[in-house]
Amino acid sequence: MLDKTYSPQDVEARLYKAWEEGGCFRQGVKSGRPYTIALPPPNVTGSLHMGHALNHTLQDILIRWQRMRGRDALWQPGTDHAGIATQMVVERQLAEKQQNRHDMGREKFVERVWQWKAESGGMITGQQRRLGESCDWSRERFTMDDGLSHAVRKVFVELYREGLIYKDQRLVNWDPKLLTAISDLEVEQHEVKSHLWYFRYPVEGMADTFITVATTRPETMLGDTGIAVHPEDERYQALVGKYAILPIVGRRIRIVADEYSDPEKGSGAVKITPAHDFNDFEVGKRHSLEMINIFDRHAHLNENVPEKYRGMERFAARKAIVAEMEELGLVEKIEPNRHMVPHGDRSQVVIEPWLTEQWYVNAAVLAKPAIEAVEKGDIQFVPKNWEKTYFDWMRNIQPWCISRQLWWGHQIPAWYGPDGRVFVAYDEAEAQAEAAKHYGKAVDLTRDEDVLDTWFSSALWPFSTLGWPEQTPVLGSHYPTDVLVTGFDIIFFWVARMIMMGLHFTKTAPFHTVYIHALVRDEKGQKMSKSKGNVMDPLDIIDKYGADALRFTLSIFAAQGRDVKMSEQRVEGYRNFATKLWNAARFAEMNGCVLPDDFDPKAPEGIINKWILGRLAQAVRDVDAALEAYRFNDAAGALYHFTWGTFCDWYLELIKPALTGEDAALKAETQATCAYVLRQLIHLLHPFMPFVTEELWDKLYGRPDGFLMLRSWPGDGVRSEDKAAAAEIDWLIRLIEGVRGARSALNVPAGAKIAMQGIGDDAELIRRLLRHSDPIKRLARIETITMEQAAPTGEQAQGCARIVIDGTTFVLPLAEVIDIAKEKERLGKERDKALAEIAKIDAKLGDASFVSRAPEAVVEEQKERRGSYSAQAEKLADALQQLG
């Protein structure tokens, strides 16, 4: 017998352990066609957050669904070594002991990081298990495993030998605290209060003539090598081609015409510092301007500036430069200015665009086949609108900086000879052999100290995790993978690079579908952040409500292109859904609903049984179609409505007379049908709510055929819809709902039993009312049902409510139960109030100023409020109409 209540805290850990020990997650557990998802590897330093919970839940739904469909499903797990993040964790630990990595040396520091990884790293994989993720943990990989490291070296060496990896001097995002280049994804834009300084630069050979430039970064002026004005800006046309004299420094800098300059912004003239601004770098290349780096790696001014400024910290230099320019009388004005400034997401210091020599990948060459793969439809984005984002990035792609000035990561396989000549090789022995051949003798080599960008190894993830470059059996069977589930923020950083690398090294796209999920926000639609105090920890939610409730909440709100609004109340609601399922199973068990071995879903003849079997078949089709199209919310919604509404609220209520009646044949048929539908329903819900469904399977059926998660997905043998049964039971439900709705809207006391009159003499209607009088009376709280030739008129009609079902009017005499006049007055007032609120909201939404200034979440909230008031007004209008 099932326990009275379901307690996820007593079930989840036990079931997960049984699944894992039973080998349920392993590739090969089913023998059908391969199906593969490569889990986006979370950082080894990470912990499960709500974005992970959404991403991983959607993947697990797909994997469990396909596994139950008989596919040889592989969900490939693993973690990323997360270069900067991991190095920072260990460096902080060292700092607590007054130690640093430089004192330890590279080799011992890297050993210490590996030690930390063994002891504490990978905490997130334990948290993934809490969510119920059915990854093949026997195949867990780490981006610095020997096999993956071998793949990284092979890719680097081959790309270098093809001329697609090279060294170059370009601008990078330089973190002067961490002393490394970082990717755009590791840069945060912070709005700061600052100033816009207008400096006057003298024009060479033109006495008392100045050109005014506006800048937010006075400290970079010492590296200016040009001034840009717009070609069509008449104010400066006479100056194009001339030179200005850079104050303080005295350098001649050319005035060039370039469309980058905005005539409407600042003075319309822009100082160009190619070595310290990404836009200026491009302008400098177009006009062959000199590139002068004025900062060292700590963002202190270097030897390329006047002596008095050398060694000065950049923001101290800003103050000193402004002061000197004021002394020279060259500050035209200073305006307050709010603007966005890039900061390192981990160091939280201002990022410096810095000209330095780094290793690069010629991404433009690799991008061409990757663009074609999406253009031809070999890879499809869902939702499709993300293809535009992908194309925009890929068609304007820049060289990819792949070197990082760290110690933790894949050290670049490059060695330098005595004269600086580089030898790229698979290992030091091969580099030594190449060097000896080049120099004609053995020489000492020095290895490049840099490591590779973490995204470089991650770009190989779909095939390196399967054993590439070795041609392993699993690589042959499970590559390419099927779908990638990820967030929009890494379409370029990860998705595009996986496509580029996959096509280049395997000649095959790494997946056929990229499903882009939205963000998880708070209940008001605001982005979750620690500073706002609105972060929801998925582990806290699981502790309180269970993993199933969290998973179902995330899936039912995961509509394509729409952010998920999370609240604890919603999770609590879907915890109640799990309880509803449990209670339905207890009801079936207590009423002897056992499935005979020879049950045929095509055999039942009872009208309610035929109806529920048809509805079950439709639910199977709806769920399959929704999951095929990655409409997770529709799949979850179909299951929710079928489970709670169709099965629990209606079928279980409608079959009570059959379960307690004297018709033994109908009772046996109904018990078997109920057991069959419940059993199939548990199957259908399993990918979404694996724990409660597996526990029900275990308790009700004792796992005679093994775990539920390895059972076959419902499909064959499900009865198609009986149209006559569907029409009749749907009519019955709409009639009961209509009466219930009228009672609720008109404030009829819950305990009051009322009369109902059907108007007309339709023979089929009379037969239906006779057949279903028991559920109508019981579920709509009707005392008597009669048929009348005509509806009440005159004064008698004023005391009645009317509902219309399929063209037939049903009259509910209420004069002795409620005060009709007062009820009409109340309904009218409430409707007027709702209409007034709608008018207020419409005025706001019609105000272009409000819509443009208000945060998106506030506008969305107003639209939701309007929808709520509109539905309320419509409901009140219907109630008034029912009263005539």
Side-chain angles (χ1 to χ4, degrees):
M1 178 66 72
L2 288 173
D3 294 338
K4 188 173 182 182
T5 58
Y6 171 67
S7 172
Q9 292 78 12
D10 299 332
V11 168
E12 293 179 353
R14 168 173 54 80
L15 279 181
Y16 197 91
K17 183 181 179 184
W19 284 332
E20 195 168 355
E21 290 179 351
C24 297
F25 307 152
R26 286 177 179 256
Q27 173 263 324
V29 74
K30 291 289 184 82
S31 58
R33 193 160 50 94
Y35 182 85
T36 318
I37 297 178
L39 177 80
N43 287 355
V44 70
T45 59
S47 60
L48 195 74
H49 56 64
M50 204 56 83
H52 286 131
L54 172 63
N55 179 282
H56 294 190
T57 293
L58 301 184
Q59 291 175 74
D60 196 36
I61 288 169
L62 292 173
I63 283 288
R64 288 179 181 270
W65 173 54
Q66 294 289 6
R67 190 185 287 122
M68 294 177 82
R69 294 174 101 191
R71 302 283 295 272
D72 177 10
L74 167 60
W75 192 9
Q76 174 62 55
T79 49
D80 191 287
H81 65 277
I84 294 178
T86 306
Q87 182 160 315
M88 282 185 67
V89 167
V90 178
E91 288 201 73
R92 277 197 294 266
Q93 292 175 349
L94 292 175
E96 290 171 5
K97 300 176 181 179
Q98 283 75 48
Q99 296 176 314
N100 64 66
R101 64 184 168 109
H102 299 285
D103 294 338
M104 295 180 72
R106 183 173 192 142
E107 187 175 340
K108 289 198 175 298
F109 176 76
V110 171
E111 282 179 12
R112 181 64 175 268
V113 182
W114 277 108
Q115 181 186 339
W116 173 85
K117 193 263 180 188
E119 293 172 357
S120 309
M123 177 180 67
I124 193 169
T125 59
Q127 296 172 341
Q128 287 175 247
R129 288 169 165 86
R130 294 282 311 280
L131 191 62
E133 299 179 28
S134 60
C135 302
D136 185 350
W137 296 109
S138 69
R139 295 189 48 80
E140 184 180 353
R141 305 306 301 269
F142 177 55
T143 48
M144 286 180 63
D145 285 349
D146 288 343
L148 272 65
S149 295
H150 174 52
V152 167
R153 287 193 300 274
K154 180 176 176 62
V155 167
F156 187 95
V157 172
E158 289 197 9
L159 289 176
Y160 177 79
R161 290 174 180 173
E162 293 171 35
L164 295 175
I165 282 182
Y166 56 93
K167 293 195 83 170
D168 193 12
Q169 273 217 338
R170 295 179 61 88
L171 281 192
V172 296
N173 295 308
W174 183 260
D175 189 313
K177 181 178 180 181
L178 300 179
L179 302 180
T180 181
I182 62 174
S183 72
D184 288 346
L185 194 63
E186 294 160 316
V187 175
E188 297 175 343
Q189 297 293 336
H190 295 180
E191 187 178 56
V192 300
K193 286 182 180 178
S194 182
H195 297 89
L196 191 61
W197 287 270
Y198 289 78
F199 289 166
R200 300 163 70 225
Y201 288 9
V203 178
E204 184 185 53
M206 299 178 69
D208 299 323
T209 301
F210 299 87
I211 183 168
T212 300
V213 297
T215 181
T216 59
R217 305 191 66 209
E219 65 275 16
T220 65
M221 70 165 287
L222 302 182
D224 288 358
T225 59
I227 295 173
V229 298
H230 196 277
E232 296 176 7
D233 192 336
E234 294 180 358
R235 294 174 294 176
Y236 300 115
Q237 284 183 357
L239 296 179
V240 173
K242 296 185 182 299
Y243 288 83
I245 302 300
L246 181 62
I248 300 176
V249 178
R251 183 167 52 245
R252 297 169 76 237
I253 58 175
R254 187 153 46 97
I255 301 169
V256 300
D258 195 284
E259 291 186 353
Y260 166 63
S261 178
D262 182 354
E264 305 298 321
K265 190 174 178 181
S267 66
V270 185
K271 68 185 215 57
I272 302 299
T273 320
H276 297 288
D277 182 279
F278 288 100
N279 291 313
D280 291 7
F281 180 77
E282 297 301 327
V283 175
K285 283 202 303 182
R286 284 196 290 272
H287 299 279
S288 301
L289 299 178
E290 189 179 1
M291 300 194 180
I292 302 174
N293 190 343
I294 63 166
F295 292 123
D296 65 15
R297 64 190 192 132
H298 298 281
H300 290 192
L301 275 71
N302 63 19
E303 70 281 358
N304 294 326
V305 300
E307 189 172 349
K308 64 182 286 189
Y309 290 100
R310 291 174 191 171
M312 197 177 287
E313 189 273 332
R314 55 184 165 166
F315 295 115
R318 172 181 294 183
K319 292 179 181 177
I321 287 167
V322 171
E324 184 167 354
M325 289 292 283
E326 285 179 328
E327 287 175 15
L328 294 171
L330 297 176
V331 177
E332 184 172 295
K333 60 179 176 177
I334 302 173
E335 294 178 343
N337 184 47
R338 278 184 171 271
H339 65 120
M340 306 305 288
V341 175
H343 287 67
D345 65 346
R346 292 183 177 87
S347 67
Q348 291 300 304
V349 300
V350 175
I351 293 304
E352 193 62 53
W354 197 45
L355 186 65
T356 181
E357 188 174 58
Q358 302 281 350
W359 288 93
Y360 288 89
V361 172
N362 187 336
V365 171
L366 295 177
K368 288 178 182 177
I371 292 169
E372 290 174 8
V374 178
E375 286 175 336
K376 291 189 299 184
D378 295 342
I379 299 173
Q380 297 187 8
F381 280 77
V382 179
K384 193 173 177 62
N385 61 284
W386 288 111
E387 288 181 8
K388 182 180 184 302
T389 301
Y390 174 81
F391 287 137
D392 285 347
W393 278 332
M394 295 293 276
R395 288 168 181 158
N396 297 284
I397 200 164
Q398 296 293 310
W400 172 17
C401 177
I402 56 171
S403 47
R404 298 290 182 267
Q405 289 64 52
L406 303 170
W407 285 359
W408 172 245
H410 295 101
Q411 193 170 354
I412 288 174
W415 288 261
Y416 299 95
D419 57 357
R421 183 181 177 87
V422 65
F423 300 92
V424 170
Y426 291 105
D427 54 36
E428 187 168 2
E430 186 182 23
Q432 288 282 6
E434 288 186 14
K437 184 178 178 181
H438 172 73
Y439 293 110
K441 61 178 181 178
V443 296
D444 290 334
L445 297 180
T446 303
R447 187 167 184 178
D448 195 308
E449 291 193 351
D450 288 356
V451 299
L452 286 164
D453 176 13
T454 300
W455 296 108
F456 191 88
S457 50
S458 298
L460 317 182
W461 189 252
F463 53 93
S464 64
T465 51
L466 303 180
W468 186 94
E470 303 300 324
Q471 295 304 305
T472 61
V474 73
L475 179 67
S477 60
H478 284 73
Y479 185 85
T481 66
D482 285 84
V483 59
L484 175 73
V485 179
T486 189
F488 62 86
D489 54 334
I490 53 175
I491 289 176
F492 176 67
F493 292 96
W494 190 47
V495 179
R497 288 166 179 170
M498 281 192 290
I499 296 172
M500 289 191 284
M501 292 297 197
L503 287 168
H504 191 79
F505 286 97
T506 73
K507 309 307 176 190
T508 308
F511 27 72
H512 57 69
T513 302
V514 180
Y515 175 79
I516 303 293
H517 62 74
L519 291 174
V520 183
R521 297 180 179 271
D522 71 7
E523 58 189 311
K524 295 179 180 177
Q526 295 185 327
K527 192 171 181 178
M528 291 187 185
S529 70
K530 290 180 182 177
S531 61
K532 292 178 182 175
N534 63 349
V535 173
M536 292 178 68
D537 186 331
L539 296 170
D540 291 343
I541 297 296
I542 291 171
D543 286 341
K544 193 168 183 179
Y545 300 107
D548 289 330
L550 175 61
R551 288 169 62 111
F552 204 83
T553 306
L554 290 166
S555 57
I556 204 165
F557 288 103
Q560 290 180 11
R562 196 163 66 227
D563 289 340
V564 176
K565 291 184 180 179
M566 277 294 289
S567 70
E568 197 168 318
Q569 291 75 17
R570 284 179 166 175
V571 181
E572 184 178 15
Y574 292 109
R575 189 272 311 274
N576 296 342
F577 176 58
T579 300
K580 186 83 168 177
L581 175 67
W582 186 265
N583 290 340
R586 289 189 76 242
F587 172 88
E589 186 183 39
M590 289 188 293
N591 283 278
C593 298
V594 178
L595 185 66
D597 292 338
D598 61 350
F599 179 78
D600 178 3
K602 297 182 177 66
E605 290 299 323
I607 188 169
I608 296 172
N609 292 327
K610 289 194 287 186
W611 167 75
I612 193 63
L613 288 165
R615 284 288 178 264
L616 172 64
Q618 186 60 51
V620 173
R621 289 193 294 272
D622 289 345
V623 173
D624 276 335
L627 290 180
E628 290 281 7
Y630 304 100
R631 291 183 283 104
F632 296 95
N633 63 312
D634 289 341
L639 286 169
Y640 179 84
H641 293 300
F642 177 78
T643 304
W644 194 303
T646 305
F647 183 67
C648 296
D649 283 356
W650 290 111
Y651 179 69
L652 296 185
E653 287 294 336
L654 293 173
I655 63 173
K656 283 179 178 177
L659 294 176
T660 57
E662 298 180 0
D663 186 334
L666 178 60
K667 179 177 180 179
E669 175 193 290
T670 300
Q671 288 172 322
T673 302
C674 180
Y676 174 79
V677 174
L678 176 64
R679 192 173 169 117
Q680 298 295 82
L681 179 54
I682 290 171
H683 282 64
L684 290 169
L685 279 167
H686 178 77
F688 299 82
M689 308 179 84
F691 290 109
V692 66
T693 53
E694 189 75 73
E695 182 71 356
L696 284 170
W697 179 260
D698 182 35
K699 299 294 187 187
L700 293 175
Y701 312 115
R703 295 195 208 137
D705 302 308
F707 290 97
L708 170 64
M709 69 171 291
L710 299 182
R711 295 276 301 174
S712 295
W713 183 252
D716 294 339
V718 176
R719 181 177 188 145
S720 59
E721 185 176 70
D722 183 308
K723 291 185 179 179
E728 183 161 330
I729 302 303
D730 287 350
W731 166 85
L732 172 63
I733 290 171
R734 279 183 283 112
L735 175 59
I736 294 170
E737 286 180 333
V739 175
R740 285 174 168 177
R743 293 179 64 117
S744 173
L746 302 174
N747 275 343
V748 175
K753 288 199 170 184
I754 57 177
M756 184 176 78
Q757 301 166 357
I759 307 303
D761 57 3
D762 181 271
E764 177 56 25
L765 173 65
I766 294 170
R767 281 194 291 273
R768 283 183 175 182
L769 288 171
L770 287 172
R771 267 198 301 271
H772 302 293
S773 62
D774 177 83
I776 293 171
K777 288 179 178 179
R778 182 164 48 88
L779 300 177
R781 301 199 64 77
I782 295 295
E783 189 165 28
T784 59
I785 302 173
T786 58
M787 289 298 297
E788 305 291 339
Q789 293 294 317
T793 57
E795 187 177 328
Q796 191 178 12
Q798 294 300 309
C800 298
R802 294 167 180 76
I803 57 173
V804 180
I805 307 295
D806 292 350
T808 301
T809 299
F810 292 88
V811 176
L812 306 174
L814 298 175
E816 295 180 6
V817 183
I818 60 174
D819 186 322
I820 301 295
K822 280 187 177 178
E823 195 57 31
K824 280 187 175 181
E825 183 181 3
R826 179 187 71 82
L827 292 169
K829 285 180 178 178
E830 288 190 11
R831 186 192 61 176
D832 291 344
K833 185 178 176 182
L835 292 173
E837 290 296 331
I838 291 171
K840 286 181 189 174
I841 294 169
D842 284 346
K844 272 188 180 179
L845 295 177
D847 181 352
S849 173
F850 168 78
V851 174
S852 64
R853 283 187 293 103
E856 186 180 344
V858 172
V859 175
E860 192 61 32
E861 183 185 4
Q862 290 296 318
K863 289 179 179 177
E864 288 179 6
R865 287 183 64 231
R866 191 196 188 285
S868 176
Y869 280 121
S870 181
Q872 184 183 346
E874 190 175 334
K875 189 176 178 181
L876 291 164
D878 287 345
L880 280 166
Q881 189 175 5
Q882 287 172 347
L883 288 176

